[in-house]
């Protein structure tokens, strides 16, 4: 195990968030008179991708500010770990943030009482949880914790990934086989830059006591709001997919209208100006600008591969419940077309490539290249 130690230079399902001043975070769970986070507890984070690295950084900084033990992290690829250590060395306001790097996911669970995960696919998540659960069972018994309800080996697993509801259900059933072990579905809404600013919105479902513990750990350290989706752990995962269907729908609509604006000669720039004046929602502005500027950098955004996975999950969920979603069907086709034409490592807004191909345009070249072609 390596470390980076641097010196400083109960609510109902669907319950609306409580009304609070703009300066305060929204949390549907009341804070108990005794602190939910015990001083002896160790927190771990597994998965340091585009989203996970930002969340882990903020958690490490939060622990540091409270005088707690450093965050223990692990990731499958060393490159992501190196990038994360660089981020931590730069720190906040010039002050480095201490973290500890474990040798395996199992070690994280062996040493931690709370483990947060952020993984890109269902399959990878289930593989990692085999090691996490094994590590939890091999750890030494610890004193009481706020969510364990008694002595033993308490462990709380908080998954922030976007996964299919049945995957969350399977993991919870496995977790429940061991006393004092809880799995919560807690997907995050927001892009990486939102995660870095600790302004994410979380949906959470599972055991009530565990949810209360998790919500006060996550907000305001990682986010600004928590939606409580009840006791059924699958509901938060389903809610995340429903929410992502809005974003995919917006990207598809933008892709079609931006392409039409170019082909009809009215100009993408004029359409984007109209969007800013009439539809100034963050998703419209963010993804509209990406298409206007042909900036589909996947390093700091949400990848096309992730978009294909999410769209497939949404279509499966819709079919399971008998709900037609033709817009998502079309978007899924365009995502696949974009991937097949050089978009595999791009941001999911590169979905526009599939629309442009159908319109007889190069997938990601943009208006400038079209004018050169016409000349």
């Amino acid at each position: 195990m390596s470390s980076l130690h641097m010196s400083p230079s109960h609510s109902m399902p669907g319950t609306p968030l409580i009304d609070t001043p703009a300066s305060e975070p929204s949390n549907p769970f009341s804070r108990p008179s005794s602190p939910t986070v015990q001083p002896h507890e160790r927190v771990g984070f597994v998965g340091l991708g585009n989203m996970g690295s930002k969340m882990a950084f903020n958690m490490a900084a939060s622990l540091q500010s409270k005088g707690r033990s450093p965050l223990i992290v692990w990731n499958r690829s060393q490159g992501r770990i190196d990038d994360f250590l660089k981020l931590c060395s730069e720190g906040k306001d010039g002050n480095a943030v201490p973290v500890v790097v474990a040798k395996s996911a199992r070690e994280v669970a062996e040493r931690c009482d709370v483990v947060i995960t952020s993984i890109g696919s269902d399959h990878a998540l289930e593989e990692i949880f085999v090691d996490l659960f094994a590590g939890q069972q091999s750890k030494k018994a610890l004193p009481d914790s706020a969510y364990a309800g008694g002595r033993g080996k308490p462990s709380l697993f908080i998954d922030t990934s976007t996964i299919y509801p049945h995957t969350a259900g399977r993991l919870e059933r496995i977790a429940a086989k061991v006393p004092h072990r809880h799995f919560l579905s807690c997907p995050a809404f927001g892009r990486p830059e939102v995660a870095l600013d600790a302004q994410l919105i979380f949906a959470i479902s599972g055991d009530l006591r565990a949810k209360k513990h998790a919500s006060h750990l996550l907000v305001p350290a990682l986010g600004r709001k928590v939606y409580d989706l009840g006791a059924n752990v699958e509901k938060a995962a389903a809610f995340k997919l429903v929410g992502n269907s809005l974003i995919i729908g917006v990207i598809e609509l933008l892709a079609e209208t931006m392409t039409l604006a170019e082909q009809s000669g009215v100009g993408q720039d004029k359409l984007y100006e109209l969007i800013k004046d009439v539809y100034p929602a963050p998703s419209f502005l963010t993804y509209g600008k990406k298409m206007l500027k042909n900036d589909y950098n996947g390093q700091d955004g949400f990848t096309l591969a992730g978009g294909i996975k999410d769209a497939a999950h949404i279509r499966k969920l819709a079919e399971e419940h008998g709900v037609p979603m033709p817009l998502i069907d079309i978007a899924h086709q365009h995502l696949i077309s974009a991937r097949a034409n050089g978009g595999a490592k791009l941001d999911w807004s590169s979905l526009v490539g599939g629309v442009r191909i159908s319109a007889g345009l190069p997938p990601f070249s943009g208006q400038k290249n079209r004018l050169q072609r016409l000349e």
Side-chain angles (χ1 to χ4, degrees):
M1 179 185 63
S2 61
S3 64
L4 176 67
H5 291 287
M6 299 165 288
S7 56
S9 226
H10 146 326
S11 58
M12 295 295 291
T15 298
L17 295 172
I18 57 175
D19 293 327
T20 59
S23 60
E24 297 181 11
S26 293
N27 195 323
F29 301 101
S30 61
R31 186 180 293 277
S33 56
S34 60
T36 60
V37 180
Q38 304 299 320
H40 64 263
E41 285 183 347
R42 293 299 299 265
V43 181
F45 203 106
V46 173
L48 301 174
N50 287 354
M51 288 289 292
S53 60
K54 280 70 173 181
M55 288 190 281
F57 174 73
N58 284 327
M59 180 55 66
S62 176
L63 295 174
Q64 180 190 35
S65 69
K66 297 173 183 177
R68 301 273 304 281
S69 298
L71 182 73
I72 300 177
V73 302
W74 181 79
N75 191 78
R76 289 175 296 175
S77 65
Q78 183 62 42
R80 291 288 192 180
I81 295 175
D82 294 339
D83 292 342
F84 179 68
L85 293 179
K86 181 180 178 182
L87 177 63
C88 290
S89 67
E90 297 169 353
K92 283 194 172 185
D93 301 322
N95 295 324
V97 176
V99 295
V100 175
V101 179
K103 295 180 180 178
S104 65
R106 177 173 180 138
E107 183 185 343
V108 175
E110 287 175 345
R111 302 190 62 191
C112 295
D113 310 292
V114 180
V115 178
I116 305 169
T117 51
S118 176
I119 306 299
S121 72
D122 296 49
H123 178 70
L125 183 70
E126 292 191 272
E127 281 191 339
I128 287 171
F129 261 96
V130 171
D131 292 335
L132 288 175
F133 287 153
Q136 185 274 337
Q137 287 187 273
S138 66
K139 71 189 243 185
K140 296 180 179 179
L142 295 173
D144 291 354
S145 90
Y147 57 86
R151 296 185 64 83
K153 297 187 290 185
S155 285
L156 174 58
F157 296 94
I158 307 169
D159 180 52
T160 66
S161 314
T162 301
I163 57 176
Y164 197 71
H166 295 345
T167 303
R170 283 195 300 272
L171 290 172
E172 190 217 17
R173 288 190 292 273
I174 296 171
K177 293 179 179 179
V178 176
H180 312 314
R181 189 170 72 180
H182 298 285
F183 172 89
L184 295 177
S185 177
C186 191
F189 288 93
R191 288 176 55 82
E193 61 268 25
V194 177
L196 187 59
D197 290 338
Q199 292 296 301
L200 294 170
I201 293 176
F202 294 96
I204 193 168
S205 58
D207 177 81
L208 176 60
R209 190 183 294 264
K211 286 189 298 184
K212 178 176 290 189
H213 187 91
S215 67
H216 288 288
L217 179 66
L218 298 175
V219 176
L222 306 188
R224 58 189 176 92
K225 291 184 180 180
V226 175
Y227 284 95
D228 178 25
L229 273 294
N232 184 343
V233 76
E234 297 190 8
K235 294 304 181 183
F239 184 70
K240 170 62 172 172
L241 293 179
V242 173
N244 275 15
S245 70
L246 293 173
I247 303 173
I248 295 176
V250 166
I251 294 174
E252 174 63 30
L253 178 61
L254 285 169
E256 294 177 11
T257 54
M258 281 289 197
T259 302
L260 179 59
E262 179 178 340
Q263 285 288 62
S264 64
V266 302
Q268 293 184 349
D269 54 343
K270 289 298 183 182
L271 177 59
Y272 188 69
E273 187 176 345
L274 178 66
I275 290 171
K276 290 192 293 183
D277 288 338
V278 183
Y279 311 106
S283 293
F284 277 88
L285 296 175
T286 298
Y287 294 113
K289 186 175 182 179
K290 283 183 173 292
M291 295 178 193
L292 178 66
K293 302 296 184 181
N294 294 294
D295 178 15
Y296 307 114
N297 180 10
Q299 294 299 313
D300 298 318
F302 187 72
T303 65
L304 189 77
I308 293 173
K309 181 261 294 182
D310 284 6
H313 279 349
I314 294 166
R315 296 177 74 206
K316 183 179 178 181
L317 185 67
E319 181 180 0
E320 187 176 315
H321 293 280
V323 178
M325 298 190 76
L327 184 61
I328 303 302
D329 294 337
I330 295 170
H332 187 246
Q333 295 172 17
H334 289 151
L335 285 164
I336 292 175
S337 295
R339 181 180 62 184
N341 286 272
K345 296 183 179 180
L346 301 180
D347 182 88
W348 64 340
S349 57
S350 62
L351 170 155
V352 68
V355 180
R356 291 174 60 83
I357 291 170
S358 298
L361 296 170
F364 311 115
S365 300
Q367 188 174 17
K368 180 179 179 181
N369 287 63
R370 176 176 180 268
L371 293 176
Q372 290 174 343
R373 176 169 58 84
L374 291 176
E375 293 173 354

